[in-house]
Amino acid sequence: MYDPTVARLTYRALLGRRRALILGALPLLLIVIAVAVRGLVGADDQTAADVLGGLALATMVPLIGVIAGTGAIGPEIDDGSVVYLLSKPLKRSKIIYTKLIVAIGVTMVFSAVPTFVAGLILNGNGQQVAVAYTVAALVASIAYAALFLLLGTVSRHAVVFGLVYALVWEALFGSLVPGARTLSVQQWALAVGHKVTGGDLVTSDVGLTTATVLLIAVTVLATWYAGQKLRTLTPTGEE
């Protein structure tokens, strides 16, 4: 369920000059902040957890997910170039799976790797904080990529809806409204990260079993529905 040609075109679209600058700016900002905090505060486990949780996982990872997930297919649908793919003898599900793999890979590289580097800078991975948030970022990358790829397939305003989810639901409601945290990819990922540390520096309002089930369910259902939606598009580009 992977097509090298589709993957190459998707990578080229995602890593074009403008998107590459945006994708690179967020990790760079995280690293700069980590260096500044380490210089001002020193190596502190709680500070490291606060920075990685509040900036990396709550803000950077979903934003990169929005860029990678929606950018993997949304622009092609908007400008009609998706007709080129739909006219080829390729299964629509194969196109979606390939684009999802690319979106996941890009999200992981631009979010999990800098999260780990920032964690090492902040406290040298004391109490496994860097590893825990890196694992959380990796897990979240999969769900975010699938979710935002679906948005890119069903809506021409996918980036707007993605930003609303990432900045309003995840960052705002997810941190202020207890009930909303249950439906937060961030909290699901934190449950996995908590399993890595086993301590109180990484916590989640969602149990590990529930988080795992929801992560898998969201990823599978979003990918499936994106494939179904792509099947309704016709080579005439009318949709």
Side-chain angles (χ1 to χ4, degrees), residues 45-157:
D45 295 340
Q46 185 60 59
T47 300
D50 292 341
V51 172
L52 295 180
L55 182 58
L57 193 62
T59 305
M60 183 188 72
V61 179
L63 286 178
I64 290 178
V66 170
I67 298 169
T70 61
I73 195 170
E76 291 176 302
I77 294 177
D78 291 342
D79 63 20
S81 61
V82 72
V83 174
Y84 169 78
L85 289 178
L86 300 183
S87 65
K88 300 298 179 181
L90 291 172
K91 292 183 178 179
R92 307 281 170 99
S93 58
K94 190 173 188 177
I95 296 173
I96 288 295
Y97 292 145
T98 301
K99 288 184 173 293
L100 176 62
I101 292 171
V102 172
I104 289 174
V106 170
T107 307
M108 285 182 170
V109 169
F110 283 92
S111 61
V113 173
T115 295
F116 181 68
V117 173
L120 292 179
I121 293 172
L122 287 165
N123 75 332
N125 195 35
Q127 296 194 52
Q128 296 293 305
V129 169
V131 172
Y133 277 103
T134 299
V135 171
L138 288 170
V139 171
S141 294
I142 300 173
Y144 282 134
L147 184 61
F148 296 132
L149 178 66
L150 170 62
L151 281 178
T153 307
V154 302
S155 174
R156 293 182 179 273
H157 306 288

Side-chain angles (χ1 to χ4, degrees), residues 183-203:
L183 300 177
S184 168
V185 174
Q186 176 190 345
Q187 291 297 320
W188 305 341
L190 283 172
V192 179
H194 173 71
K195 181 66 175 179
V196 175
T197 61
D200 297 328
L201 289 175
V202 183
T203 60

